[in-house]
Amino acid sequence: MPNGTNQNTQSNKNTQNIQNAHYHPSTAQVHAGFDPGSNADSVTPVVYPNAAFWLEDVDHGHHVANGDIPGFLYSRVANPTVGFLERRVAALDGAAEAVAVASGMAAITYALLNAAEGGGRIIAPYDIYGGTFDSLRTLLPRFGVTTTFVDDINDTKRIEALIAGDSPDALDAEGRNAPVKAIFAETVSNPRTVITDVEALSAVAHRNGIPLIVDNTLPTPHLFRPIEHGADVVVYSATKALGGHGNAIGGIVTSGDSFDWANGRYPQFTEPEFILGEAAGRAPRSFVDAAGPLAYIRRLRLKYLRLTGAVLGPFEAYQQLLGLETLGERVSKETASAKTVADWLSRRDHVTAVHYTGLPYGPQRALADRLFPLGVGSVLSFELEGDDAADQTARAKELIDHVRLFSYLANIGDVRSLIVDPANITHREFTPAARAKVGITPGLIRLSIGLEDPRDLIADLDQAFDAAYLA
Ligand SMILES: *Cc1c(COP(=O)(O)O)cnc(C)c1O
């Protein structure tokens, strides 16, 4: 057999394996979603920097534009390198499909608007990322999407009551009782690592014909695959542990294929969509007609990514693909070290509380064992002793100004260890009332543990504590 033919057979076999086989995660993180045989026999993912792609001839161009045959048209809609990342994350997440976007915030905005646009309500806890809180509280309402914040997202009775609308709290700011279109929560919250019971919450959501959308940025698919536990849509800031090197901003939305978007609550998926029907010279079609159970993720790409344009660049996609190749190794080592550091902090003078559900005690122990047997990730937080708020602020400043190994910056999930004071940097968006609910105090310090030796990290913190409490 000539060499070329042989190679071809090889690569076809490869493609089939990658698309059909359910590889274990550590295999998927270096192979899934990329076919060397269609990419000049390169085994590392190839960067396609094209803005647009050759359409060959008019017939071919029309078929590609109408989606009748696979192919690329323009990188605002889809790009091969970004596609490798999308397929790899979908495989790791146990998802049916993924769309990569320019940032975690773009992923969250698109995911929520795609479900709740046109007058809808979201139920979410206070305990969420500062940018998400600010968007839900002050920006999305201007687009007709309001949010009812709850103290405890695991209080399923209260959530059921809010959906039923039989609680006065269900009224939005204008006193209208907008229909609930989605429940949103972080699987593990930032910075206190509170766990959401995705199984219980998705059961409540599904009983009421509502999807559960979760932000799984902290655990990553290595520690938790939300769709397998009932979530319908998952968002990631790929900037964090997914990419893992603090060198590229990016976001991902993944989706399962079991939620019924044609249940009557979401007309945007069942009404005729011009670009799917008439524009292609066909009878009118909706996203549900065209994509069935993948209607949600296809619509997110074609309406939100294509028309508002927060695309991930192919170079950033490549950096994140490289980062993903060591996802499991990084996250498991960082999680083990986070546990070691949290345990040390819980015994250190001048620490009044450690917030890390990965420790073998605490109110969420049973839930952590059930949903997170491999741990909750590399982020943890703790509170500094102080006479009052001003004293705590001063101690936090001294501690942060004296660390040498930890980097003081507003990121998490890096291979380098990071430190921050959430009250002043990452959670500034929280109102005083919301801060009190979530426990963003002046003495709260957040750590993101990297790949350094935990003994060096502990020694660094120890000398910074000594400096902060010298006077
Ligand atoms: C950082 C972060 C985001 C926002 O992601 P960007 O990539 O910075 O836009 C959203 N959710 C969580 C939990 C985050 O940590």
Side-chain angles (χ1 to χ4, degrees):
M1 194 182 288
N3 220 8
T5 316
N6 188 25
Q7 290 246 333
N8 238 352
T9 312
Q10 228 13 69
S11 70
N12 286 341
K13 199 167 147 238
N14 242 348
T15 306
Q16 276 174 357
N17 283 347
I18 284 164
Q19 286 174 352
N20 300 332
H22 290 284
Y23 284 126
H24 293 96
S26 48
T27 309
Q29 73 188 16
V30 292
H31 286 288
F34 180 74
D35 169 30
S38 320
N39 290 281
D41 290 337
S42 167
V43 296
T44 65
V46 176
V47 179
Y48 289 88
N50 313 47
F53 297 83
W54 184 43
L55 296 173
E56 300 181 20
D57 57 43
V58 167
D59 276 349
H60 184 83
H62 290 187
H63 285 311
V64 169
N66 290 337
D68 303 333
I69 55 174
F72 294 93
L73 193 73
Y74 191 61
S75 285
R76 178 154 40 74
V77 185
N79 169 279
T81 310
V82 176
F84 305 147
L85 176 68
E86 291 169 339
R87 288 199 295 280
R88 196 160 289 182
V89 173
L92 291 169
D93 216 24
E97 208 165 291
V99 173
V101 295
S103 68
M105 282 316 298
I108 290 166
T109 307
Y110 289 0
L112 294 176
L113 286 178
N114 196 32
E117 69 180 40
R121 194 153 55 97
I122 292 165
I123 296 175
Y126 286 95
D127 202 357
I128 49 177
Y129 180 69
T132 313
F133 180 74
D134 197 13
S135 175
L136 289 175
R137 194 176 76 85
T138 69
L139 182 63
L140 293 191
R142 312 228 164 184
F143 293 85
V145 175
T146 53
T147 295
T148 303
F149 290 101
V150 296
D151 290 346
D152 177 7
I153 197 69
N154 292 325
D155 182 352
T156 48
K157 279 208 180 66
R158 175 157 159 71
I159 298 206
E160 194 108 45
L162 282 172
I163 297 170
D166 59 4
S167 155
D169 299 344
L171 302 179
D172 67 20
E174 279 75 47
R176 286 171 289 124
N177 188 1
V180 175
K181 297 285 183 72
I183 300 177
F184 175 81
E186 293 177 3
T187 53
V188 173
S189 78
N190 168 8
R192 288 165 64 102
T193 73
V194 174
I195 295 171
T196 296
D197 187 345
V198 170
E199 292 178 353
L201 198 56
S202 64
V204 170
H206 296 162
R207 263 203 300 285
N208 292 281
I210 293 164
L212 174 63
I213 303 177
V214 294
D215 181 335
N216 196 43
T217 298
L218 262 65
T220 81
H222 177 67
L223 298 175
F224 190 64
R225 290 151 61 102
I227 292 167
E228 290 174 0
H229 296 275
D232 302 289
V233 176
V234 186
V235 294
Y236 290 97
S237 169
T239 317
K240 314 294 171 57
L242 214 54
H245 292 73
N247 60 359
I249 300 272
I252 312 263
V253 184
T254 76
S255 160
D257 57 7
S258 61
F259 188 79
D260 179 14
W261 294 97
N263 68 8
R265 211 179 261 262
Y266 305 93
Q268 66 268 39
F269 295 102
T270 50
E271 50 198 33
E273 180 63 47
F274 182 77
I275 55 163
L276 298 175
E278 294 96 316
R282 294 199 178 95
R285 284 198 306 172
S286 69
F287 276 97
V288 165
D289 294 334
L294 296 175
Y296 174 89
I297 198 83
R298 295 284 166 83
R299 187 173 188 278
L300 191 144
R301 181 187 298 283
L302 286 181
K303 299 307 276 188
Y304 283 95
L305 186 59
R306 177 175 144 272
L307 298 183
T308 74
V311 287
L312 185 69
F315 293 101
E316 281 76 11
Y318 179 72
Q319 284 170 294
Q320 275 149 3
L321 278 159
L322 280 189
L324 269 185
E325 293 186 346
T326 54
L327 178 72
E329 288 69 17
R330 284 186 286 106
V331 172
S332 52
K333 180 171 181 204
E334 288 165 3
T335 301
S337 298
K339 216 163 152 178
T340 304
V341 172
D343 186 55
W344 176 81
L345 282 166
S346 68
R347 288 178 281 106
R348 181 64 167 84
D349 282 357
H350 310 302
V351 173
T352 57
V354 176
H355 306 294
Y356 189 61
T357 40
L359 284 173
Y361 36 85
Q364 289 198 303
R365 185 69 261 154
L367 189 56
D369 285 345
R370 178 157 59 84
L371 296 184
F372 291 86
L374 300 178
V376 294
S378 59
V379 171
L380 62 112
S381 57
F382 60 96
E383 281 167 51
L384 292 173
E385 185 182 49
D387 301 335
D388 51 26
D391 188 38
Q392 285 184 317
T393 303
R395 305 287 182 177
K397 173 182 166 20
E398 287 303 309
L399 184 93
I400 290 171
D401 283 348
H402 281 90
V403 290
R404 296 170 189 147
L405 191 50
F406 280 84
S407 302
Y408 178 44
L409 55 84
N411 197 11
I412 53 172
D414 195 332
V415 291
R416 287 152 287 264
S417 289
L418 314 174
I419 188 167
V420 83
D421 46 342
N424 298 313
I425 308 287
T426 57
H427 288 67
R428 294 171 53 245
E429 295 96 334
F430 276 70
T431 58
R435 278 178 202 221
K437 282 181 193 297
V438 188
I440 305 294
T441 61
L444 187 75
I445 301 285
R446 182 185 77 188
L447 302 179
S448 172
I449 301 301
L451 291 178
E452 303 94 338
D453 191 306
R455 290 169 296 189
D456 294 330
L457 296 173
I458 287 171
D460 189 38
L461 290 171
D462 203 32
Q463 60 83 27
F465 267 104
D466 286 346
Y469 286 90
L470 203 64

